[in-house]
Amino acid sequence: MLNWIDTRSDEQLAAAARDLFAVAFPDSPAPGGVWAAPGRVNLIGEHIDYAGGASIPFALEQNTAVAVAPRTDGLLRIASEYDGAVAHASIPLADVRPGHPSDWSGYVAGTVWAATIANALTCSGLDIAIVSDVPVGSGLSSSAALECSTAVAAYELCHGRAPDDTARAQLAQACIRAENEVVGASTGGLDQNASLFGQRGKALFLDFSTGAVERVPFNIDAQDMVLLIADTNAPHTLSDGQYASRRGIIDAVQSAAGSTIREIPDAEAFAATVDPAAAELYRRRVRHVVEETNRTLAAGTALAKANLDEFRRLMRESHVSLRDLYEVTTPELDSAFTAAGELGARMTGGGFGGAVIALIPRSAVESTAQAIHDAAAYRSFPEPTFLVARSGEGARRLA
Ligand code: GLA
């Protein structure tokens, strides 16, 4: 029996957020609304958002929803339902600062803090009840969904209207800052941009050298193709040093060059000079960044021409590079990649656990999922869970 991930409708998710709010904050007036932000899946362009590269993600139909009411005493009270239990946090906004709070509540409190100091909004406290259908620790950006749902809620409660694209760009920066400075995860901007700018039926072409966000057609249905997500359920975290160590090398090269990797003429050769004792390692890492950037630009062209064969070939190459050059895959991810047939498959997200995606004919969904499941069982890996991904709306008001 295959294990498919359940997803609630927008109405069910909004009702669950309101119910949690009523139980968690009985002394508070009714919430001013319910807002949601999606997780994302990245099709290609991995580990290059912090190197001036490009990515092609789309927003998922799986959302985090927040029921929110304003307060007047400067306090943030947060209740979050996760895995059948409810976690609580309470912190004065004035106490939020780099490094504090650094647990899960830092994604929420840090977003309000960063948006406030960027003058994107003013806030005198909030009660926030959180429910989510975005799988956690799967490389599908549950953290960004948490940040971005908080950001659009706080924005609309402050301004009385939804953020336009200019305000979304400002909120994306605040969410990134919350994650980098308050929680201490040195991630790039891929996830927050995808969650804030996603649109149903579209993918996004994010160019990190210019900051440009383009909504591009993503109509795989027309070719009877689907995107299968296989969550390996292997333990995953981005704040355990592995992600930071990859990024540290790229940052060192970029700061030695005074530019992004993309702008360095022969970046691989240059990288070898930055730390001669680790020249081979630096070369490998930078070679991934250079080639993945080129692959993603080529994938953008292939998508514009609806050439999914070429797109699938590039996805396969991306996984091989993340496995052999950037070394962020795990045995579980590699097993799922091989079992999915490799063409059109790759790991998605930061790696070190998480999910594999496969762009495959609709008729092959069951057999591909079964093959991934059987390969995991054979090696006694955790049982994978599955989802057929469709592109959904970016962060918005639900109710
Ligand atoms: C995580 C980070 C992103 C990006 C990806 C890898 O999802 O949050 O900024 O670096 O890993 O592409």
Side-chain angles (χ1 to χ4, degrees), residues 170-192:
Q170 221 185 356
L171 294 177
Q173 290 308 317
C175 293
I176 295 165
R177 193 158 176 204
E179 188 149 335
N180 289 175
E181 294 182 30
V182 178
V183 182
S186 60
T187 55
L190 159 61
D191 311 342
Q192 296 77 7

Side-chain angles (χ1 to χ4, degrees), residues 40 45-47 49-50 187-191 238 243 349-350:
R40 64 96 189 94
E46 215 69 86
H47 278 285
D49 57 345
Y50 46 80
T187 55
L190 159 61
D191 311 342
L238 289 184
Y243 183 98

